[in-house]
Short mmCIF file of all heavy atoms in Angstrom, two decimals:
data_model
loop_
_atom_site.label_atom_id
_atom_site.label_comp_id
_atom_site.label_asym_id
_atom_site.label_seq_id
_atom_site.Cartn_x
_atom_site.Cartn_y
_atom_site.Cartn_z
N GLY A 48 86.52 113.38 107.43
CA GLY A 48 85.27 112.84 106.92
C GLY A 48 84.95 111.49 107.52
O GLY A 48 85.76 110.57 107.48
N LEU A 72 98.66 109.81 127.59
CA LEU A 72 99.69 109.44 126.63
C LEU A 72 99.01 109.13 125.31
O LEU A 72 98.18 108.21 125.23
CB LEU A 72 100.48 108.22 127.10
CG LEU A 72 101.42 107.58 126.07
CD1 LEU A 72 102.53 108.54 125.66
CD2 LEU A 72 102.00 106.27 126.60
N GLN A 92 98.19 96.55 127.57
CA GLN A 92 97.50 96.50 128.86
C GLN A 92 98.35 95.83 129.93
O GLN A 92 98.48 96.35 131.05
CB GLN A 92 96.16 95.78 128.72
CG GLN A 92 95.35 95.81 130.02
CD GLN A 92 93.96 95.22 129.84
OE1 GLN A 92 93.72 94.45 128.92
NE2 GLN A 92 93.04 95.57 130.71
N ASP A 96 99.77 97.83 133.17
CA ASP A 96 99.41 97.36 134.51
C ASP A 96 100.65 97.09 135.35
O ASP A 96 100.71 97.44 136.54
CB ASP A 96 98.57 96.08 134.41
CG ASP A 96 97.15 96.32 133.95
OD1 ASP A 96 96.73 97.50 133.87
OD2 ASP A 96 96.44 95.33 133.67
N ILE A 99 102.61 100.42 136.28
CA ILE A 99 101.85 101.17 137.26
C ILE A 99 101.94 100.49 138.63
O ILE A 99 102.11 101.15 139.67
CB ILE A 99 100.39 101.34 136.81
CG1 ILE A 99 100.32 102.32 135.63
CG2 ILE A 99 99.50 101.82 137.96
CD1 ILE A 99 98.96 102.39 134.97
N LEU A 156 106.08 104.54 117.55
CA LEU A 156 107.11 103.70 116.94
C LEU A 156 107.15 103.94 115.44
O LEU A 156 106.14 104.20 114.80
CB LEU A 156 106.85 102.22 117.24
CG LEU A 156 105.62 101.54 116.61
CD1 LEU A 156 105.92 100.98 115.22
CD2 LEU A 156 105.12 100.41 117.50
N GLY A 162 105.96 110.89 113.96
CA GLY A 162 104.77 111.67 114.25
C GLY A 162 104.79 112.29 115.64
O GLY A 162 104.43 113.46 115.81
N THR A 164 107.42 113.02 117.39
CA THR A 164 108.44 114.06 117.41
C THR A 164 107.94 115.32 116.72
O THR A 164 108.06 116.43 117.24
CB THR A 164 109.71 113.54 116.71
OG1 THR A 164 110.14 112.32 117.33
CG2 THR A 164 110.83 114.57 116.80
N PHE A 206 110.74 126.30 125.50
CA PHE A 206 109.42 125.70 125.67
C PHE A 206 109.31 124.33 125.02
O PHE A 206 108.24 123.72 125.03
CB PHE A 206 108.34 126.63 125.11
CG PHE A 206 108.31 127.98 125.77
CD1 PHE A 206 108.91 129.07 125.17
CD2 PHE A 206 107.71 128.15 127.01
CE1 PHE A 206 108.89 130.31 125.78
CE2 PHE A 206 107.69 129.39 127.62
CZ PHE A 206 108.29 130.48 127.01
N GLU A 216 120.54 99.66 117.09
CA GLU A 216 121.77 99.83 116.32
C GLU A 216 121.85 98.90 115.11
O GLU A 216 122.61 99.16 114.17
CB GLU A 216 122.99 99.63 117.22
CG GLU A 216 123.11 100.72 118.28
CD GLU A 216 124.27 100.48 119.23
OE1 GLU A 216 124.59 99.30 119.49
OE2 GLU A 216 124.84 101.47 119.73
N TYR A 239 117.94 116.49 125.24
CA TYR A 239 117.12 115.31 124.99
C TYR A 239 117.87 114.10 125.52
O TYR A 239 119.06 114.17 125.85
CB TYR A 239 116.81 115.16 123.50
CG TYR A 239 117.98 114.72 122.64
CD1 TYR A 239 118.08 113.43 122.15
CD2 TYR A 239 119.02 115.61 122.34
CE1 TYR A 239 119.16 113.02 121.37
CE2 TYR A 239 120.09 115.23 121.56
CZ TYR A 239 120.17 113.94 121.08
OH TYR A 239 121.23 113.53 120.32
N THR A 240 117.18 112.97 125.58
CA THR A 240 117.79 111.71 125.98
C THR A 240 117.95 110.83 124.76
O THR A 240 117.01 110.65 123.99
CB THR A 240 116.90 110.99 127.01
OG1 THR A 240 116.77 111.82 128.17
CG2 THR A 240 117.51 109.65 127.42
N THR A 247 116.57 95.72 116.38
CA THR A 247 116.21 96.04 115.01
C THR A 247 114.77 96.55 114.96
O THR A 247 114.20 96.94 115.98
CB THR A 247 116.43 94.82 114.09
OG1 THR A 247 116.18 95.21 112.73
CG2 THR A 247 115.52 93.66 114.46
N ASN A 249 111.44 95.83 114.95
CA ASN A 249 110.42 94.81 115.16
C ASN A 249 109.76 94.97 116.53
O ASN A 249 110.17 95.80 117.34
CB ASN A 249 111.02 93.41 115.01
CG ASN A 249 112.16 93.15 115.97
OD1 ASN A 249 112.25 93.76 117.03
ND2 ASN A 249 113.05 92.24 115.61
N LEU A 251 109.75 93.06 119.09
CA LEU A 251 110.60 92.74 120.24
C LEU A 251 111.25 94.02 120.77
O LEU A 251 111.25 94.27 121.98
CB LEU A 251 111.67 91.72 119.84
CG LEU A 251 112.71 91.39 120.92
CD1 LEU A 251 112.04 90.78 122.14
CD2 LEU A 251 113.78 90.46 120.36
#
Side-chain angles (χ1 to χ4, degrees):
L72 170 64
Q92 185 174 21
D96 286 351
I99 289 171
L156 68 87
T164 305
F206 300 100
E216 293 177 329
Y239 72 105
T240 299
T247 185
N249 58 25
L251 175 62

